[in-house]
Amino acid sequence: MKLELGKVESYIHEKLEKEKLHFVLLDPDDVSPEMAGKISEEAERIGVDAIMIGGSTGAEGEVLDEVVKAIKESSSLPTILFPGSHGAVSKYADAIFFMSLLNSTNPFFITGSQALGAFTVKRYGVEPIPMAYLIIEPGETVGWVGDAKPIPRHKPKIAAAYALAGQYLGMRLVYLEAGSGAPQPVPPEMIAIVKRVIDVPLIVGGGIRTGEQARKAVEAGADIVVTGTAIDKARSIEEAKKKLEELNRGVKLR
Ligand code: 1GP
């Protein structure tokens, strides 16, 4: 049986042939639908490649739906759900990172929540993109909520072993996550070793606040850089726009 990649996953692969990608994460618990719409419009204009929607707490139901709808109305960027659990599926989104928190100590976050959400994803026709999700120290809220055993920052080989295991289990993306708002992003040395070992695209996020940090992640081997807090926390759309431009220049090595 030949595997047919969905629309969003094909878009990711096609774009990756030309450049590194920048995804912006919007947490419906932190941004209003109005602000989410405005940020997405600017993001598309600036050259961001996709909008991820999700968060560890409160990013469900109507709150989630309204944010996804506002993004769809204001931009044509792909919308990818980044769920905290099976409750975070919106029928308005294009795709979902169907992710397994491989270094959780709780099977609920490895396969349990996935089983509870699978029928909803099918019913809504949202494109699932299988992804290995790895929490790196400090892990922040998602590490705590997800019962993770965070991978020590100075142990890149552990991250590489988990990443390769994820690929061998059939996951088509690997995400190294320091946790939203982490004081330091994933160390470049860890990104480099993981990248050397795997063949699937590598996503890196958590604690990337400056163009320089984004650039370092890409230079180390990240294929896709995710930024959230730096933009979510902007006090005005002008401030968000400036930050988006800075981060995007870093990712695109401009
Ligand atoms: C969190 O990796 C993402 O899941 C983004 O992190 O909010 O720190 O940018 P930040």
Side-chain angles (χ1 to χ4, degrees):
M1 190 179 85
K2 194 175 172 297
L3 178 73
E4 290 268 349
L5 294 187
K7 228 170 127 188
V8 176
E9 201 173 352
S10 302
Y11 164 90
I12 292 172
H13 281 277
E14 277 160 29
K15 280 211 132 183
L16 276 176
E17 280 174 23
K18 288 174 250 140
E19 59 181 350
K20 301 302 175 187
L21 308 187
H22 180 198
F23 289 3
V24 165
L25 171 67
L26 297 176
D27 185 341
D29 207 24
D30 290 336
V31 290
S32 63
E34 195 198 344
M35 190 64 169
K38 283 187 187 158
I39 293 175
S40 305
E41 196 179 338
E42 285 303 332
E44 182 167 25
R45 211 184 42 75
I46 286 163
V48 166
D49 305 285
I51 305 289
M52 287 162 54
I53 308 106
S56 297
T57 53
E60 299 187 3
E62 213 184 310
V63 176
L64 173 65
D65 282 344
E66 292 307 313
V67 165
V68 180
K69 280 201 270 181
I71 296 167
K72 300 280 322 166
E73 279 160 21
S74 333
S75 91
S76 56
L77 288 177
T79 47
I80 308 173
L81 298 170
F82 184 54
S85 75
H86 55 280
V89 189
S90 169
K91 63 180 169 203
Y92 301 103
D94 300 307
I96 180 166
F97 282 144
F98 204 85
M99 51 212 252
S100 175
L101 207 178
L102 291 184
N103 61 324
S104 177
T105 58
N106 182 344
F108 178 77
F109 294 102
I110 305 172
T111 53
S113 192
Q114 293 75 356
L116 296 180
F119 285 158
T120 315
V121 170
K122 193 174 174 70
R123 189 177 322 120
Y124 288 169
V126 178
E127 176 190 336
I129 305 177
M131 180 167 88
Y133 190 49
L134 301 177
I135 305 287
I136 315 303
E137 279 180 343
E140 302 297 294
T141 305
V142 69
W144 190 87
V145 172
D147 290 337
K149 194 162 80 174
I151 297 171
R153 297 174 61 78
H154 64 288
K155 292 291 179 192
K157 265 177 84 178
I158 300 179
Y162 268 95
L164 188 59
Q167 177 182 322
Y168 287 168
L169 284 165
M171 290 151 188
R172 302 200 291 265
L173 292 172
V174 167
Y175 192 133
L176 297 181
E177 169 73 271
S180 186
Q184 296 291 329
V186 175
E189 306 71 45
M190 185 179 275
I191 298 173
I193 291 176
V194 171
K195 179 64 186 171
R196 229 181 294 144
V197 168
I198 60 170
D199 307 297
V200 297
L202 176 60
I203 309 187
V204 176
I208 297 173
R209 296 182 175 75
T210 66
E212 189 53 31
Q213 288 171 326
R215 174 183 301 272
K216 280 200 176 133
V218 166
E219 284 171 350
D223 295 300
I224 302 171
V225 170
V226 179
T227 63
T229 307
I231 299 146
D232 265 12
K233 292 277 182 284
R235 277 163 303 205
S236 63
I237 187 67
E238 285 70 35
E239 209 179 291
K241 193 174 133 191
K242 263 204 201 140
K243 216 3 126 182
L244 274 171
E245 277 168 352
E246 178 196 332
L247 291 165
N248 207 63
R249 275 198 303 271
V251 176
K252 307 289 177 182
L253 303 176
R254 281 182 200 127

